[in-house]
């Protein structure tokens, strides 16, 4: 980190980027419509390959949200996941250790241990209840797009998450929300030509919930960035 005095915008950005973290407990209050539109307009300022803006986002609230919550939770309790895009389960090192460290951080806030299979399953099922969030976004892409467009979608989603944080809102990106894509397509009328890459539960955080205390570790610069000076 530089020791030079920071411009006010840089200070604000540092604060927002550092404050963003995955929120897994929400209050029921809905986000006003005009704020929703502002946030998704900001997300659309993200850059993309050839400015193709490949993202197609379905933002869900109200009855559709409750219907999805019920259907996804029922599917997760009874059927194996059937995602459009394969799930990476067997990470090699060092990614495996990073995954374990972040899971342990989360489990610690809830009192669940790695050995507690039932407790872990209970936490996992909370994904499909979308952590009681009042809203979710589902990020879709054309099926024939590739990694470049998937990267565009990730940049778009992070822009959205930072905008949410700046407005006092919380969010959790969730690959798990893409594990039963037929439910998403059927309920939201999404064409078969699109895949759902991941979803995002969002709303006003419930700071009283212990999971909100989870601060996940990060690998050092020396392990993630190669400077050629
Ligand atoms: C694309 C993507 C998918 C994710 N999927 C899930 C998920 O299904 N369930 C979950 O609880 N967290 C999920 N996360 C959140 C990560 O676990 C979290 O970002 C990571 O542990 C770092 O913690 P932080 O977001 O609090 O900084 C996902 C994050 C991303 C970017």
């Amino acid at each position: 980190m530089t020791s030079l005095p920071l411009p006010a915008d840089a200070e604000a950005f540092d604060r927002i980027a550092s404050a963003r973290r995955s929120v897994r407990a929400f209050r029921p209050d809905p986000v006003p419509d005009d704020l929703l539109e502002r946030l998704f307009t900001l997300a659309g300022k993200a850059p993309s390959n050839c400015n193709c803006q490949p993202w197609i986002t379905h933002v869900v609230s109200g009855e559709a949200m409750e219907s999805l919550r019920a259907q996804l939770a029922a599917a997760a309790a009874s059927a194996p996941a059937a995602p459009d895009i394969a799930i990476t389960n067997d990470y090699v090192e060092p990614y495996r250790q990073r995954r374990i460290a972040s899971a342990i951080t989360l489990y610690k806030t809830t009192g669940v241990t790695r050995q507690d299979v039932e407790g872990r399953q209970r936490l996992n099922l909370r994904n499909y209840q979308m952590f009681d969030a009042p809203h979710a976004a589902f990020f879709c892409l054309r099926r024939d797009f590739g990694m470049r467009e998937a990267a565009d979608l990730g940049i778009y989603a992070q822009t959205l998450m930072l905008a949410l944080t700046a407005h006092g809102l919380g969010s959790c990106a969730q690959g798990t929300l893409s594990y039963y894509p037929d439910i998403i397509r059927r309920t939201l009328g999404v064409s078969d030509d699109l895949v759902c890459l991941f979803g995002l539960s969002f709303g006003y955080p419930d700071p009283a919930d212990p999971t909100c205390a989870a601060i996940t570790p990060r690998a050092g610069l020396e392990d993630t960035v190669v400077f050629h000076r």
Side-chain angles (χ1 to χ4, degrees), residues 50-90:
C50 305
N51 198 24
C52 74
Q53 303 158 69
W55 41 79
I56 298 173
T57 309
H58 286 252
V59 186
V60 184
S61 317
E63 270 176 35
M65 185 72 184
E66 294 321 315
S67 165
L68 277 182
R69 209 186 314 272
Q71 293 184 70
L72 289 173
S78 61
D84 292 317
I85 296 158
I87 303 169
T88 316
N89 269 326
D90 43 358

Side-chain angles (χ1 to χ4, degrees), residues 20-22 24 102 127 131 172-176 198 214 216 218:
R20 190 229 44 90
R21 65 175 84 132
S22 296
R24 296 183 178 86
S102 100
N127 272 286
F131 307 113
C172 186
Q174 291 172 261
T176 37
F198 59 103
T216 49
R218 289 295 187 272

Side-chain angles (χ1 to χ4, degrees), residues 23-44:
V23 168
R24 296 183 178 86
F26 297 89
R27 303 200 326 245
D29 326 47
V31 177
D33 279 345
D34 55 344
L35 180 51
L36 282 180
E37 284 171 25
R38 170 185 285 260
L39 292 161
F40 284 88
T41 303
L42 284 169

Side-chain angles (χ1 to χ4, degrees), residues 67-68 70-76 180-189:
S67 165
L68 277 182
Q71 293 184 70
L72 289 173
Y180 299 93
D182 289 341
I183 293 178
I184 309 296
R185 276 191 284 264
R186 196 175 57 236
T187 308
L188 303 180

Side-chain angles (χ1 to χ4, degrees), residues 1-228:
M1 290 277 177
T2 174
S3 52
L4 294 172
L6 289 175
D9 280 358
E11 268 189 26
F13 183 77
D14 278 18
R15 242 191 344 269
I16 293 163
S18 306
R20 190 229 44 90
R21 65 175 84 132
S22 296
V23 168
R24 296 183 178 86
F26 297 89
R27 303 200 326 245
D29 326 47
V31 177
D33 279 345
D34 55 344
L35 180 51
L36 282 180
E37 284 171 25
R38 170 185 285 260
L39 292 161
F40 284 88
T41 303
L42 284 169
K45 295 191 184 290
S48 57
N49 279 277
C50 305
N51 198 24
C52 74
Q53 303 158 69
W55 41 79
I56 298 173
T57 309
H58 286 252
V59 186
V60 184
S61 317
E63 270 176 35
M65 185 72 184
E66 294 321 315
S67 165
L68 277 182
R69 209 186 314 272
Q71 293 184 70
L72 289 173
S78 61
D84 292 317
I85 296 158
I87 303 169
T88 316
N89 269 326
D90 43 358
Y91 281 103
V92 296
E93 296 302 348
Y95 312 102
R96 182 174 164 272
Q97 275 311 319
R98 292 179 191 164
R99 179 190 201 170
I100 291 172
S102 100
I104 289 174
T105 308
L106 180 61
Y107 294 155
K108 260 193 195 150
T109 63
T110 59
V112 170
T113 61
R114 277 196 80 210
Q115 292 70 37
D116 178 359
V117 176
E118 232 173 73
R120 285 169 51 188
Q121 201 176 354
R122 201 175 52 246
L123 284 184
N124 185 41
L125 284 177
R126 294 277 301 143
N127 272 286
Y128 303 98
Q129 290 150 357
M130 297 184 267
F131 307 113
D132 301 325
H135 308 281
F138 291 86
F139 303 116
C140 304
L141 270 186
R142 282 180 59 102
R143 207 177 271 280
D144 55 359
F145 279 161
M147 284 177 76
R148 291 180 205 288
E149 291 78 19
D152 295 339
L153 187 47
I155 296 167
Y156 169 88
Q158 170 70 342
T159 307
L160 174 65
M161 287 188 266
L162 293 177
L164 286 159
T165 305
H167 284 83
L169 290 151
S171 65
C172 186
Q174 291 172 261
T176 37
L177 292 185
S178 69
Y179 286 7
Y180 299 93
D182 289 341
I183 293 178
I184 309 296
R185 276 191 284 264
R186 196 175 57 236
T187 308
L188 303 180
V190 174
S191 135
D192 250 359
D193 301 342
L194 302 183
V195 295
C196 174
L197 207 55
F198 59 103
L200 184 85
S201 298
F202 69 94
Y204 295 97
D206 175 3
D209 190 277
T211 57
C212 288
I215 300 180
T216 49
R218 289 295 187 272
L221 268 192
E222 65 285 5
D223 294 324
T224 52
V225 182
V226 182
F227 290 102
H228 300 267

